[in-house]
Amino acid sequence: MSNSSNSSNSILQQIAEELINGEEERVAELTKAAIGQAIPAKKILEEGLIAGMNVIGARFKQQEIFLPEVLLSAKAMSAGVEEIRPLLASESSVTAGKVILGTVQGDLHDIGKNLVSIMLKGAGLEIIDLGKDVSAAKFVEVAKKENASVIGMSALLTTTMPVMSEVVTLLREQGLSDKIKTVVGGAPLTREWAQEIGASAYSADAGSAVEMVKELTRN
Ligand code: B1M
């Protein structure tokens, strides 16, 4: 392994470690330093920030850590994302379309949704971000009012995933399924489940969400 890839690996590892420790300022500093080393934003995101957050998720599941620690790491993650935000946006190419985006009702997890938002904006799409805890009725109401072509929904809890199905049903009942497409994503979802509820597309990560939305807005 070359010296430069050694040093890029070690700074990404440090980012993950400081994120796990919930050190918001250190994560921001190290992310800036990684940008200074010309490490691509996507690599910083995946191998530093998300890698750290995955460790937190596993420890939380094993009850080795609790909500206050998770929250500190989530803040550290957001601080890192803020640093790479302009780069993530500019690493994508330009397209067009209007997307209503949000985390579904009952769900307060918005880090992944915010990443999807950054990437879609970077791809030249117009995003109306409704934030978190968004009801099915609200998604559909705003999509109609704004004449949007896509509704993008994020869910991180198995208990909130059914809200996505409600949106698909509402669109079908109102005869809007052809006009307004749906993209769903979030850690507990699977492609099979998305197909089962009749969503137009499923994305496993923010990068593929851009591809999916581009595909759907092309039709
Ligand atoms: Co909570 N949480 N949490 N949490 N949390 C999870 C999701 C959990 C898996 C942890 C665990 O047990 N291992 C578990 C859910 C279990 C389940 O339902 N299967 C869980 C739980 C149980 C809870 C609470 C119920 C805990 C409690 O109160 N007892 C509670 C619920 C609150 C609520 O929402 N009502 C809770 C609270 C929290 C915090 C507030 C402390 C915090 C969220 C802070 C915030 O978001 N502002 C938090 C966090 C941080 C997590 C973990 C550790 C990390 C989530 C994250 O940000 N990942 C998470 C464990 C885990 O997922 N490993 C966990 C990083 C992010 C970049 O990834 O969001 O997956 P992700 O997004 C990815 C893809 O999924 C995809 O692209 C993104 C980027 O690549 N994607 C899309 C996401 N949305 C998309 C939309 C798209 C396309 C792709 O198209 C539109």
Side-chain angles (χ1 to χ4, degrees):
M1 195 186 291
S2 72
N3 277 345
S4 69
S5 70
N6 263 336
S7 82
S8 98
N9 283 347
S10 84
I11 196 164
L12 296 176
Q13 216 170 329
Q14 282 179 57
I15 290 174
E17 277 162 18
E18 296 293 1
L19 187 144
I20 293 165
N21 295 335
E23 295 289 342
E24 188 176 342
E25 278 178 26
R26 281 293 292 150
V27 169
E29 279 166 22
L30 286 164
T31 304
K32 263 188 217 155
I35 295 167
Q37 290 183 15
I39 302 173
K42 199 162 174 278
K43 191 171 164 88
I44 302 174
L45 176 66
E46 284 167 3
E47 296 176 29
L49 299 166
I50 292 183
M53 196 49 107
N54 284 341
V55 174
I56 287 293
R59 290 188 184 167
F60 184 47
K61 196 173 180 182
Q62 298 302 320
Q63 298 189 336
E64 290 168 15
I65 57 166
F66 298 96
L67 273 183
E69 288 105 315
V70 179
L71 208 45
L72 283 178
S73 293
K75 281 189 176 161
M77 167 108 194
S78 298
V81 169
E82 268 316 299
E83 297 298 331
I84 53 172
R85 178 192 283 267
L87 294 168
L88 276 180
S90 67
E91 280 174 14
S92 313
S93 60
V94 175
T95 177
K98 199 189 252 187
V99 182
I100 308 299
L101 189 66
T103 300
V104 299
Q105 190 165 32
D107 205 322
L108 305 177
H109 296 86
D110 65 355
I111 297 175
K113 184 267 297 168
N114 291 343
L115 279 171
V116 172
S117 176
I118 292 170
M119 301 289 279
L120 290 176
K121 277 181 192 155
L125 291 141
E126 190 182 342
I127 307 300
I128 298 180
D129 188 340
L130 300 178
K132 50 199 173 190
D133 197 16
V134 182
S135 70
K138 180 86 183 171
F139 274 116
V140 175
E141 177 200 318
V142 178
K144 283 196 300 194
K145 190 166 148 244
E146 295 291 338
N147 206 13
S149 45
V150 177
I151 295 177
M153 293 172 275
S154 178
L156 265 285
L157 298 171
T158 43
T159 49
T160 59
M161 286 163 55
V163 179
M164 295 172 159
S165 176
E166 280 177 43
V167 170
V168 174
T169 305
L170 276 178
L171 290 173
R172 196 170 42 233
E173 283 172 358
Q174 297 182 27
L176 292 166
S177 303
D178 285 340
K179 197 172 163 243
I180 306 174
K181 307 287 185 190
T182 46
V183 182
V184 295
L189 276 66
T190 60
R191 187 174 306 283
E192 290 69 32
W193 184 81
Q195 267 166 4
E196 224 170 84
I197 66 161
S200 320
Y202 160 78
S203 297
D205 55 49
S208 60
V210 173
E211 293 312 313
M212 283 301 161
V213 171
K214 276 185 183 173
E215 188 67 41
L216 293 173
T217 50
R218 211 172 281 143
N219 296 330

